[in-house]
Amino acid sequence: ADTDSSVSNLTLPDCDLDGAELGGYLSWSAPDGGANSFVAHYVVYMAANEIDNGTYVGCPPGFGSVMSTDSDNRSIGDLDFAKPWCRSLYRINEFGDAVLTVPSDTTFVNLTHYLVYTKSTLVEQTTPTIVEIDDRRATVSYVHWVSEDLNLNSAGGTVVWYPPANSFCLQSYVVYIARSEVGLDRVELGEVSLGTNSLEVTSLEGNGTLPFAQYSHFLVYTKSTFVEQTTPAFISFADAASKFQVSSPSFTDDDLDEHELGGTLFWNAPELRGLVTKYNIYLAEDTAGTSRSLLGEQTVGTDNLTVPLNTQLQTFKYFLIHSASDTVEQSTPITLPVVDANASISGLEFVDKDLDADEVGGTVYWVTPDASMDRVSGFKMYFGDSAEGIGVRSQMGDDIDPQDQNLSMLEDTPLSDANETVNYTHLLVYTFSILAEQTTPVALTLSDASSTVLNLAFNDLDLDYQDLGGNLSWSLPDDLSQVTHYNLYFAGVAAITSTTITTTTTATFTSTSATSTTTSSTSTTSTTATNTTTSMTTSTVTATSTSTVTTTRANDTSDESGVFVNGSDNDSSENAAYNDSLNTTTTTAGPGPGSAGVVAGAFSGNASVLNDSVDDEGGEIANLTANLTTTIVSTTVITRIDSSEPAFPPSEANRILVSTIAVGPSRYAVPADTPTSTFTHFLVYTASSMFEQSTPTMVRFYDEIASVSNIDCFDRDLDAGDVGGVVSWDPPLSAGSVIAYRLFAGYEGDSGLVRQQFGSDVPVGTNVADLFDFPVDYGDLLIYTVSSLVEQTTPVGKPVTDAEASATNLTFVDYDLDFGDLGGDLEWVKPPDDSLVESYMVYLADNAAGGPDLLELNFSESGGGRVEQGVANQGVHSLNFPVDFDRLGCTEDACVGTHFLVYTKSAFIEQTTPAALKFYDRSSLVQNLSYVGLDLDLGELGGICAWEPPEDTDLILGYNVYLSGETAGATRSQVGSEVAFGTNKLDVPAETPQAPHEYLLVYSRSSLAEQTTPAAVAFVDADSLVSNVTFTDEDLDLGEL
């Protein structure tokens, strides 16, 4: 019989506690029953598999190779029986000896298994029993020393360790003291059982021949029931002491002054605090602690110390940190070299480019520190009254980025404090860290540059209205070192800011007088004001208008001379003068064709004075006032500005650059025809390469004005190509030299102003002229004042727009279905601009052109004109004609009235050419009406009423059928309900009484009304009674027939 004689229960508990070494008892159970009768020996091998992670590696020298097989391919653990083994014979035991001692410290290199084969007298078993080698290492960890003596000068203390993770076979721990980590001259200090992880050491007396100081290590061995560990865990005295020391000390000096410290000293807590209670921190000259000075102490748990700002470094070079217990300070400190941060800038420079006295401005330059820039958080710059910064100082701007090497100082920076009690003399620059600002700054003495022109003078040699010309001269500044050029400006009253206002306004202006006033101009978006004295005379103007107005500032562009004028370049020619005419404080409205720059005034808010100051010859101040809530379109021209003073220094909005003049000649030639706009002064500023002076030298100029104002020239004729109305204007405030007014039509052509005189000169004293025959293609009306010498160069203009306002798209649908009668709404589309339309006049006519107004009687007889039908007010764009409206003059198949005419009408005149509509008179009478009577009783009706629909059925919604005594339907009674359109018959119910009706009437109905004139048919009552009825009773019994 086939017998399995394999051993079982094969085990090897490794009780050698060192890694890569074995020791213990390999044991097994003999084969069961009769299977052991042939076993003579047990053969034991140490083995490893020839295949490593699926790769065949073969066997090393000295190892035999064998293949284990099994018919059932059985598994033991993770190993298949059918594997190639590299094996080495370890021992042969006689049958009956089932235990094999594996000595301690047995190495197994790369061997992984023990194989046990049974062997008969004939042959060794092919398939072994297998046990995997499990190397069990049991070494303690983290051996350390706990003692108040942090220097390990005596034996008083406790050796402490962490137990191994694997306690298999472990029985106890044996502690030694030795002169090396491998146990040189070791002396046993004691043994403790498993579960105890420390040993108290009091002295070495009786344990050895050497004093404690001669030893250097503590050793801890694990011990099993089989053997004591060969390789112990250990700690040197030096390492034991170092575990009480702090680690990783660091310090950043945030006091940026040389020879001073400030910041926080950090460290990591000791690996083993044990009985450490505090840290003592010193400054010393070297790591040995020479001349050390206590900086501070810190209790355990706090791992940093604040070094106060401005701590004097003296000759110290190191920080020393000693751990200490309650009884002793550790002798060996942790040391850290002191790095003194010195981070002051250098090369501080500043040149004052602000040319005003007691003010500075420009760029400050410096060089960043060479060292310790990593400590620098930024720079602070101050004005101070001393170089040391110990007096009064004021920071200039915000903190400065550490990478910056310059700072722009704004112009007009004052050299005194806010109360002007301290004058600054120095510029101070400090570096600062995250801790504090430097104590000692780098200082620079300030030098203030002051450069102002003197003796500014101007004599106007150009005598035109709002034009200047002549030489402006001045004396050179005393200090020219930083002056690079001069800036010449016009300055005067507050500027008009640009805004757009759309509104409807009704306002009345009246003339008032006062000895002085404060002027203002207000819009919906901005308000500007200046103190002025104004002189003007005004007439009363009442106006109502709806407009979109853009308010603009005069003086937009510059001519070749650099002088800023309005509208376009000023070339001093007559054509250019038209563009230059707009330099007033009035407001420009939307211009007509080619009207670039024609003036129209606009004001909003409660305006007390329209424009700048004017001084009339009587010394009185005339003031134009109005209580305005929105905007009025008008033209306003100021005649004189001669007494106001601009704000000093003027604001940017209150001046305009005339020219930039290089240093050299101390004069400037103001070109002729330079417009003054609203300006009253010349200002001359000196300028450096960076800044313009804040406080200029200024001189006032004088100019005479004589222009009309408040032109009214609206076209109130609503027909295209026709202009109708009256031109009116206000005379100049100063009209002593004016003898006439000259009116022109004008437009801006490709080469300038094109103009044509309109009418004759109007003598002074007359301020109106007819607007008829105005050449509307020119677009603008221009009015020049004329003296005995010359015509004014600059006119006042007003756009003249041909007003056209006709109704369009007339529509009328006749919902009255009777011929000769109308009913419905006449509708039209309003003109695109209906601002001048006050009403719409509607007429009935026999043609599209209209004609004379006629009475209805005359029109009905002959036509040839028009008859008024109604008026629709502005905003209403329809007129209702009620049902049965008479077309007038109608016969059986024709009427006189054929057209509706709609005329627009302004306050001035009714339109000449109407919008016309030839309307359609709708007739929808049913045809071929019939009645068939089916009720056979006399005096009763019943049957079918039928008809054919009218030729025009577009507006029919239904039919109504009536019984009536006459064809006109004066007395009638409806039969049934309304018959829906599309059905052309109605059943008359049986036994309907006939009397008093003789006719059947059918009316068509639209959405507006029922027809007035019906279709009619007379009906005949059907009588079907028999006659001569006889009966003879041939039943001879009473009561029976």
Side-chain angles (χ1 to χ4, degrees):
D2 187 10
T3 301
D4 181 8
S5 299
S6 297
V7 301
S8 60
N9 301 322
L10 179 61
T11 61
L12 175 60
D14 178 22
C15 290
D16 184 297
L17 304 179
D18 294 302
E21 294 180 353
L22 299 177
Y25 300 99
L26 180 67
S27 64
W28 58 87
S29 299
D32 294 332
N36 62 24
S37 59
F38 300 101
V39 176
H41 297 87
Y42 301 111
V43 183
V44 181
Y45 294 86
M46 295 185 75
N49 195 254
E50 291 185 54
I51 297 175
D52 185 14
N53 293 325
T55 302
Y56 181 79
V57 295
C59 293
F63 282 78
S65 179
V66 65
M67 177 70 75
S68 298
T69 59
D70 185 86
S71 59
D72 296 328
N73 198 29
R74 293 174 299 163
S75 294
I76 298 178
D78 294 329
L79 298 174
D80 294 332
F81 276 86
K83 283 187 180 271
W85 291 100
C86 295
R87 66 182 187 176
S88 175
L89 181 64
Y90 185 74
R91 192 73 53 83
I92 299 176
N93 278 14
E94 296 289 335
F95 178 75
D97 185 1
V99 178
L100 187 153
T101 299
V102 178
S104 61
D105 301 330
T106 298
T107 59
F108 56 93
V109 195
N110 294 322
L111 300 176
T112 59
H113 293 76
Y114 277 100
L115 312 180
V116 178
Y117 296 79
T118 56
K119 183 177 181 182
S120 68
T121 56
L122 175 64
V123 68
E124 182 181 279
Q125 190 182 26
T126 304
T127 303
T129 300
I130 302 168
V131 64
E132 186 174 2
I133 295 172
D134 183 10
D135 180 19
R136 306 220 176 202
R137 181 178 181 180
T139 300
V140 303
S141 60
Y142 198 60
V143 180
H144 53 280
W145 173 256
V146 177
S147 172
E148 282 193 357
D149 181 2
L150 306 182
N151 299 307
L152 274 74
N153 292 325
S154 64
T158 302
V159 180
V160 183
W161 59 87
Y162 290 170
N166 179 16
S167 62
F168 182 77
C169 287
L170 188 59
Q171 174 180 279
S172 63
Y173 306 103
V174 185
V175 181
Y176 296 85
I177 189 170
R179 298 179 64 188
S180 72
E181 62 188 56
V182 296
L184 177 65
D185 298 330
R186 73 178 188 175
V187 175
E188 182 176 343
L189 298 177
E191 182 175 352
V192 296
S193 61
L194 182 65
T196 301
N197 302 313
S198 63
L199 178 69
E200 184 176 0
V201 180
T202 56
S203 70
L204 295 182
E205 293 181 6
N207 291 327
T209 59
L210 298 176
F212 183 82
Q214 296 295 316
Y215 294 97
S216 61
H217 288 75
F218 290 112
L219 312 177
V220 180
Y221 293 80
T222 55
K223 185 177 181 180
S224 70
T225 55
F226 187 72
V227 70
E228 183 184 274
Q229 187 182 29
T230 304
T231 305
F234 64 90
I235 187 170
S236 68
F237 288 3
D239 287 346
S242 70
K243 292 184 182 295
F244 300 123
Q245 291 178 325
V246 302
S247 61
S248 304
S250 64
F251 174 75
T252 299
D253 181 17
D254 291 318
D255 186 307
L256 303 182
D257 292 300
E258 189 175 13
H259 305 306
E260 293 180 357
L261 300 178
T264 302
L265 177 64
F266 294 93
W267 59 85
N268 291 337
E271 180 182 344
L272 179 64
R273 294 185 182 180
L275 298 178
V276 176
T277 59
K278 64 179 180 178
Y279 311 111
N280 295 329
I281 299 96
Y282 299 87
L283 282 170
E285 294 181 354
D286 52 34
T287 58
T290 302
S291 303
R292 74 177 189 174
S293 173
L294 182 65
L295 190 59
E297 66 178 41
Q298 200 66 277
T299 59
V300 168
T302 302
D303 301 322
N304 61 78
L305 178 72
T306 299
V307 179
L309 193 66
N310 302 326
T311 296
Q312 298 301 309
L313 185 57
Q314 302 178 31
T315 60
F316 302 126
K317 293 182 174 59
Y318 288 89
F319 290 107
L320 310 181
I321 306 175
H322 294 258
S323 299
S325 66
D326 288 337
T327 60
V328 65
E329 180 186 88
Q330 194 176 31
S331 58
T332 304
I334 292 296
T335 64
L336 177 68
V338 174
V339 178
D340 180 18
N342 177 20
S344 294
I345 67 157
S346 59
L348 183 61
E349 295 181 2
F350 173 71
V351 175
D352 180 21
K353 298 291 185 178
D354 185 296
L355 304 182
D356 295 298
D358 301 320
E359 294 177 351
V360 290
T363 303
V364 184
Y365 297 93
W366 63 88
V367 178
T368 55
D370 294 332
S372 302
M373 274 301 293
D374 58 325
R375 318 275 177 84
V376 177
S377 298
F379 308 112
K380 294 177 184 286
M381 187 173 296
Y382 295 85
F383 287 117
D385 62 353
S386 69
E388 297 78 16
I390 58 176
V392 178
R393 65 177 192 171
S394 174
Q395 186 170 358
M396 190 178 76
D398 298 327
D399 293 348
I400 304 168
D401 189 274
Q403 304 304 318
D404 289 345
Q405 293 187 325
N406 61 77
L407 177 69
S408 294
M409 185 187 299
L410 298 177
E411 59 180 319
D412 305 327
T413 300
L415 281 177
S416 60
D417 64 354
N419 298 322
E420 298 185 355
T421 58
V422 177
N423 293 322
Y424 299 123
T425 58
H426 287 79
L427 198 62
L428 312 175
V429 180
Y430 298 77
T431 55
F432 68 91
S433 65
I434 59 173
L435 179 64
E437 178 183 288
Q438 208 176 18
T439 305
T440 305
V442 175
L444 177 69
T445 301
L446 290 167
S447 176
D448 180 23
S450 178
S451 302
T452 300
V453 303
L454 306 170
N455 303 320
L456 184 62
F458 175 73
N459 182 27
D460 181 21
L461 301 178
D462 187 302
L463 304 180
D464 286 319
Y465 151 64
Q466 288 195 332
D467 287 340
L468 298 177
N471 286 321
L472 182 69
S473 62
W474 58 89
S475 299
L476 296 177
D478 294 333
D479 180 5
L480 279 172
S481 61
Q482 299 301 320
V483 179
T484 59
H485 58 283
Y486 307 103
N487 290 332
L488 173 62
Y489 291 86
F490 276 128
V493 298
I496 301 172
T497 57
S498 179
T499 184
T500 300
I501 308 165
T502 303
T503 184
T504 302
T505 303
T506 301
T508 300
F509 291 91
T510 59
S511 176
T512 64
S513 296
T515 57
S516 64
T517 184
T518 297
T519 69
S520 66
S521 176
T522 306
S523 74
T524 57
T525 59
S526 64
T527 302
T528 55
T530 182
N531 292 326
T532 64
T533 305
T534 300
S535 174
M536 64 183 75
T537 58
T538 63
S539 60
T540 298
V541 181
T542 301
T544 301
S545 65
T546 300
S547 60
T548 299
V549 180
T550 301
T551 64
T552 61
R553 184 72 171 98
N555 303 322
D556 298 331
T557 60
S558 65
D559 63 7
E560 294 79 355
S561 67
V563 178
F564 282 71
V565 297
N566 184 298
S568 65
D569 288 350
N570 178 12
D571 59 5
S572 303
S573 68
E574 180 182 73
N575 290 342
Y578 174 52
N579 279 330
D580 297 341
S581 70
L582 309 178
N583 298 304
T584 70
T585 56
T586 59
T587 309
T588 61
S595 64
V598 176
V599 176
F603 303 90
S604 66
N606 293 311
S608 62
V609 175
L610 292 183
N611 285 95
D612 303 315
S613 61
V614 178
D615 183 20
D616 66 9
E617 290 149 352
E620 282 287 303
I621 305 301
N623 182 17
L624 180 59
T625 65
N627 184 20
L628 294 181
T629 56
T630 50
T631 301
I632 182 168
V633 177
S634 63
T635 301
T636 305
V637 178
I638 300 308
T639 60
R640 178 176 283 180
I641 303 171
D642 64 1
S643 62
S644 67
E645 289 294 332
F648 190 84
S651 67
E652 291 291 335
N654 199 23
R655 66 178 191 173
I656 187 169
L657 181 67
V658 174
S659 183
T660 296
I661 306 164
V663 172
S666 55
R667 63 182 181 276
Y668 175 75
V670 180
D673 299 322
T674 297
T676 62
S677 184
T678 61
F679 302 117
T680 58
H681 291 71
F682 280 119
L683 310 180
V684 177
Y685 296 75
T686 57
S688 68
S689 58
M690 291 184 66
F691 304 124
E692 178 184 270
Q693 189 181 29
S694 300
T695 306
T697 302
M698 70 179 181
V699 64
R700 186 178 186 83
F701 55 76
Y702 174 81
D703 185 39
E704 174 117 12
I705 304 171
S707 294
V708 302
S709 60
N710 293 326
I711 299 175
D712 184 345
C713 62
F714 287 113
D715 176 20
R716 293 173 174 82
D717 185 300
L718 304 183
D719 291 299
D722 294 333
V723 174
V726 176
V727 180
S728 65
W729 59 89
D730 288 346
L733 299 182
S734 177
S737 300
V738 178
I739 62 173
Y741 306 105
R742 191 164 294 159
L743 281 63
F744 288 84
Y747 68 90
E748 194 69 26
D750 293 338
S751 58
L753 175 66
V754 178
R755 66 178 192 169
Q756 174 184 330
Q757 187 170 357
F758 167 59
S760 303
D761 287 355
V762 178
V764 69
T766 302
N767 301 317
V768 296
D770 290 335
L771 192 61
F772 296 107
D773 299 325
F774 181 84
V776 295
D777 292 339
Y778 277 62
D780 297 324
L781 174 67
L782 312 176
I783 301 180
Y784 296 76
T785 54
V786 180
S787 70
S788 59
L789 177 65
V790 69
E791 179 189 278
Q792 186 183 27
T793 302
T794 304
V796 176
K798 178 83 172 183
V800 177
T801 303
D802 182 11
E804 179 182 359
S806 295
T808 57
N809 297 333
L810 273 63
T811 58
F812 176 80
V813 178
D814 180 19
Y815 286 92
D816 188 303
L817 304 181
D818 296 300
F819 175 77
D821 291 340
L822 302 177
D825 290 325
L826 173 64
E827 299 178 333
W828 59 89
V829 175
K830 70 172 185 175
D833 181 5
D834 64 348
S835 59
L836 296 178
V837 176
E838 289 194 351
S839 60
Y840 301 88
M841 305 298 298
V842 180
Y843 295 85
L844 181 67
D846 62 347
N847 62 81
D853 291 341
L854 300 175
L855 298 176
E856 286 188 4
L857 177 62
N858 297 334
F859 180 82
S860 298
E861 293 176 353
S862 61
R866 64 183 189 178
V867 178
E868 181 179 343
Q869 300 302 318
V871 179
N873 292 329
Q874 208 270 1
V876 179
H877 308 117
S878 64
L879 186 69
N880 178 260
F881 290 84
V883 176
D884 300 330
F885 176 83
D886 187 4
R887 284 179 58 185
L888 300 180
C890 292
T891 60
E892 202 171 85
D893 57 359
C895 296
V896 174
T898 59
H899 289 73
F900 284 129
L901 309 180
V902 178
Y903 296 77
T904 56
K905 185 176 181 180
S906 69
F908 184 67
I909 195 170
E910 183 185 279
Q911 193 179 29
T912 304
T913 304
L917 173 68
K918 185 175 183 179
F919 54 79
Y920 170 60
D921 184 5
R922 194 176 304 277
S923 177
S924 299
L925 193 67
V926 302
Q927 304 177 75
N928 298 325
L929 178 61
S930 64
Y931 171 76
V932 177
L934 301 176
D935 188 303
L936 303 181
D937 294 305
L938 185 64
E940 295 181 348
L941 301 177
I944 298 172
C945 175
W947 61 87
E948 292 179 4
E951 292 181 359
D952 185 351
T953 62
D954 288 347
L955 300 179
I956 295 177
L957 298 181
Y959 305 95
N960 290 319
V961 180
Y962 296 86
L963 297 177
S964 179
E966 67 280 328
T967 59
T971 58
R972 64 184 188 177
S973 175
Q974 187 169 3
V975 179
S977 301
E978 182 177 275
V979 179
F981 175 73
T983 300
N984 299 316
K985 66 177 182 176
L986 177 70
D987 292 333
V988 179
E991 299 179 354
T992 298
Q994 175 185 344
H997 307 302
E998 298 295 331
Y999 295 91
L1000 199 64
L1001 310 180
V1002 178
Y1003 294 79
S1004 301
R1005 185 185 68 83
S1006 69
S1007 61
L1008 178 65
E1010 186 184 85
Q1011 203 175 25
T1012 303
T1013 304
V1017 62
F1019 46 74
V1020 178
D1021 186 14
D1023 181 8
S1024 299
L1025 297 177
V1026 299
S1027 60
N1028 300 320
V1029 177
T1030 61
F1031 174 76
T1032 302
D1033 182 16
E1034 294 183 354
D1035 186 305
L1036 303 179
D1037 295 304
L1038 180 65
E1040 296 179 352
L1041 297 176

